[in-house]
Amino acid sequence: MIGGINMNLFITSGTRNYLKKMKEKYPEENMLLLGDEESAVLIHETASGTIFNQPRKYEVIDSYGNFENAEYVVMNNIPVTDEGKPLFEYRFKNRNRQIESQPGFVAIRVLRPITSNTYIILTLWENRQAFEKWKTSESFQKSHAQQAGTQTTHPHSIFTGPSYITTYSIAEEE
């Protein structure tokens, strides 16, 4: 729940042209087209249902910023056990939030999966260089060292597998 409103985020894949037409058909919706000519993803953030037929469904459990002024998107995909979900969510809701003051940072969404076990930490950046610069920052090192430290203090891992990152550029409007 964000600001008293339950927000959802839906993700669908397809060709760039098809997804662009879908986005144009619903200009009042908060959607973001990611990708290039070869592969594309359309993100739909809403307090209600989605117009997508078969989306990946997420509940937004933490949010900062909006989609405007972003050109680069990073999705950190983190598989979490059912038993580990409360601890994982607690950690993110109580994080130090240093990323929010990083130069070039635009927005973050912490996404709880509805039909899978893989959370997504979605961050939006002014450009790829801003993201790369953050990865070498002291802030990045501190926040990731904290997470690694808490993982080793628990005898049973809350993760079902390694996390992985997917990155996208905001699709250019023609």
Side-chain angles (χ1 to χ4, degrees):
M1 185 178 310
I2 308 300
I5 299 172
N6 287 327
M7 292 299 290
N8 300 301
L9 193 134
F10 302 94
I11 302 172
T12 194
S13 303
T15 65
R16 181 175 178 267
N17 287 339
Y18 175 77
L19 296 177
K20 182 179 177 190
K21 287 177 186 171
M22 184 181 294
K23 181 180 181 211
E24 289 169 351
K25 186 175 177 180
Y26 299 95
E28 70 286 352
E29 296 293 335
N30 186 24
M31 290 195 261
L32 193 59
L33 180 59
L34 311 174
D36 54 30
E37 293 298 329
E38 293 180 20
S39 66
V41 172
L42 188 58
I43 293 174
H44 181 207
E45 185 176 50
T46 179
S48 58
T50 187
I51 48 121
F52 302 159
N53 289 329
Q54 295 182 326
R56 288 176 282 165
K57 304 172 186 177
Y58 300 89
E59 182 179 353
V60 179
I61 61 171
D62 193 16
S63 173
Y64 176 86
N66 57 48
F67 293 169
E68 295 174 23
N69 302 318
E71 290 185 12
Y72 192 68
V73 177
V74 178
M75 294 183 190
N76 189 357
N77 302 270
I78 306 171
V80 178
T81 65
D82 286 339
E83 299 80 19
K85 288 179 179 183
L87 177 59
F88 180 81
E89 291 181 18
Y90 175 83
R91 288 181 189 167
F92 266 94
K93 289 178 182 176
N94 294 284
R95 62 192 166 81
N96 62 23
R97 300 190 177 275
Q98 288 185 9
I99 191 173
E100 294 166 11
S101 62
Q102 294 303 301
F105 173 80
V106 175
I108 187 170
R109 299 294 186 273
V110 179
L111 306 175
R112 175 192 295 142
I114 303 299
T115 57
S116 77
N117 70 339
T118 302
Y119 283 75
I120 294 179
I121 311 307
L122 175 79
T123 56
L124 291 91
W125 299 86
E126 287 177 0
N127 52 48
R128 181 182 182 144
Q129 293 79 10
F131 170 70
E132 295 295 336
K133 188 170 184 179
W134 174 69
K135 285 189 349 184
T136 63
S137 73
E138 186 176 323
S139 168
F140 178 89
Q141 301 305 322
K142 282 183 183 177
S143 65
H144 287 79
Q146 276 182 330
Q147 290 174 3
T150 55
Q151 288 175 23
T152 59
T153 61
H154 297 284
H156 303 289
S157 176
I158 65 169
F159 305 102
T160 61
S163 64
Y164 60 96
I165 298 221
T166 50
T167 60
Y168 298 94
S169 293
I170 306 290
E172 295 293 321
E173 297 294 327
E174 294 170 355

Coordinates of all heavy atoms in Angstrom, one line a residue, residues 15 40 67 79 110 144:
T15 N 6.2 -7.3 -29.3 CA 7.0 -6.5 -30.2 C 6.8 -5.1 -29.9 O 5.8 -4.7 -29.3 CB 6.5 -6.7 -31.7 OG1 5.2 -6.2 -31.8 CG2 6.6 -8.2 -32.1
A40 N 10.7 -6.0 -26.4 CA 10.1 -4.8 -25.7 C 9.3 -5.3 -24.6 O 8.8 -6.5 -24.6 CB 9.3 -4.0 -26.7
F67 N 7.8 7.9 -13.2 CA 8.5 7.4 -14.4 C 9.1 8.5 -15.2 O 9.8 8.3 -16.1 CB 7.5 6.6 -15.2 CG 7.0 5.3 -14.6 CD1 6.0 4.6 -15.1 CD2 7.6 4.8 -13.5 CE1 5.5 3.4 -14.6 CE2 7.2 3.6 -12.9 CZ 6.2 2.9 -13.5
P79 N 14.6 -14.2 -6.4 CA 13.7 -15.3 -6.0 C 13.8 -15.5 -4.5 O 14.8 -15.7 -3.9 CB 14.3 -16.5 -6.8 CG 15.4 -16.0 -7.6 CD 15.7 -14.7 -7.2
V110 N 9.5 -1.4 -5.3 CA 9.7 -2.8 -4.8 C 8.4 -3.6 -5.1 O 7.4 -3.2 -4.6 CB 10.0 -2.7 -3.3 CG1 10.3 -4.1 -2.7 CG2 11.3 -1.9 -3.0
H144 N 24.7 -2.9 0.0 CA 24.8 -4.4 -0.4 C 25.6 -5.2 0.6 O 25.4 -6.4 0.8 CB 25.4 -4.5 -1.8 CG 24.4 -4.1 -2.8 ND1 24.1 -2.8 -3.1 CD2 23.5 -4.8 -3.6 CE1 23.1 -2.7 -4.0 NE2 22.8 -3.9 -4.3

